[in-house]
Amino acid sequence: MRSKADGQSMPEFELDTDDSQPDNVVLINLHPRVRDKRVEILSGLQQQQKRIDPKYFYDSRGSELFEQITSLHEYYPTRTERQILKRNAKAMAQSCGQNCVMIEPGSGSSEKVRLLLDELKPAAYVPMDISAEFLKRAAIQLAHEYPWLKIHAVCTDFANQENIPEGIPLGRRVVFYPGSTLGNVKPAEASKFLRNLGRWLDRDGGVLIGIDLHKSTRILEAAYNDKQGITAQFNLNILNNINALTNANFDTSRFSHHAFYNEQAYRIEMHLVSKEDQVVDLGEIKISLARGETIHTENSYKYTMESFHEIARRAGFTIRSSWLDKQQLFSVHYLELDSSGTGNGQSHQDHSGKPL
Ligand code: AVJ
């Protein structure tokens, strides 16, 4: 029997007959390799500190729960970033320059870029996502809403994409990376990731990036421990996804949500705490957990203006402008590649006045 076990995803951009695809959108499927998830998951669960990569939060239920998180009162990042984008769209458009090609890795529903499009008027918008179906739907919807916008959607695993995917329209490139997604990886990896994004740019391109800021432990811990328990459900749901992906038998009722701010490491840590001694079956492999033992599911690093500047500098970038909300909860930065390669010449306009 033939199977899809070659690790390649199937082409998914054949259009249904009832799909009305506007002519301002092009869809390209680079068939991202689906890496061996089972191997990755098992190896994480066999470490001394058991861990699951946060990308496994986002099955369809998890994506839905994350959507709910973004509108929670305690969860300030999404609404604050939206507010910053809205208020400063004009200045951001000026930084990006006219007729840029705006590339958004992990574009999802392309929600935030809508706040910039009218001011930015890019020559083209290139949403990139690993999920072909989701990307296609979002791109077609956006094309209907912005008939003047040339959309060039690329299905690819950008995290593993060393060079810029082929076929992207020519022009000055700006990478849009909102949501503080960069915070999910350790600072050293964050610099590496940014350095790689830099390879996608022409010399005069840039990066417009959203970064969550270090702040009081009280505010941070509330954001990851909402009263309604949505974040707890989001955290626990990762086990349902692991069950589906690996035939495991995790029982979510035997774990509890734990999120705290690690002040030394400047990161929120999310864990699932085993409520009792237990053994979980993952096919041939069994994983035992002692009561109180945890599975580490997420880091969410928080930066200061200085510490983010250092990340950018190490990646070969200079911060040209920074925009913050009045309370300095969140930040959006426009980065350009160093001209000298020495990492000097930084000048940020902190729109709130006070340095952090
Ligand atoms: C999407 C990774 C930025 O770290 O705040 C929200 C994910 N985790 N609540 C974050 C998340 C728990 C979110 N990021």
Side-chain angles (χ1 to χ4, degrees), residues 58 66 69 75 179-180 184 224 231 234 270 298 300:
Y58 304 94
F66 180 68
I69 287 173
Y75 194 75
S180 204
N184 266 174
Y224 294 82
T231 307
F234 173 75
M270 294 217 307
E298 186 173 50
S300 187

Side-chain angles (χ1 to χ4, degrees), residues 6 28 67 70 123 151 168-169 180 212 224 231 238-239 246 251 253 256 259 261 313 329 346:
D6 60 1
I28 296 178
E67 278 305 305
T70 61
I151 301 170
I168 288 182
S180 204
D212 196 11
Y224 294 82
T231 307
I238 204 169
L239 297 179
T246 67
D251 176 354
S253 73
S256 56
Y261 191 50
R313 194 189 61 77
L329 296 173
Q346 168 260 3

Side-chain angles (χ1 to χ4, degrees), residues 77-93:
T78 311
R79 68 164 174 278
T80 309
E81 185 181 41
R82 287 184 58 88
Q83 183 200 335
I84 295 169
L85 292 173
K86 230 190 239 168
R87 288 204 179 146
N88 301 286
K90 208 171 217 143
M92 289 175 185

Side-chain angles (χ1 to χ4, degrees), residues 308-341:
F308 181 65
H309 173 241
E310 185 58 18
I311 295 294
R313 194 189 61 77
R314 287 196 188 152
F317 284 97
T318 294
I319 301 181
R320 288 285 171 217
S321 294
S322 300
W323 297 273
L324 293 85
D325 58 300
K326 281 210 189 72
Q327 294 178 74
Q328 309 188 352
L329 296 173
F330 199 92
S331 60
V332 178
H333 309 262
Y334 186 74
L335 317 178
E336 279 178 349
L337 287 167
D338 290 339
S339 42
S340 55

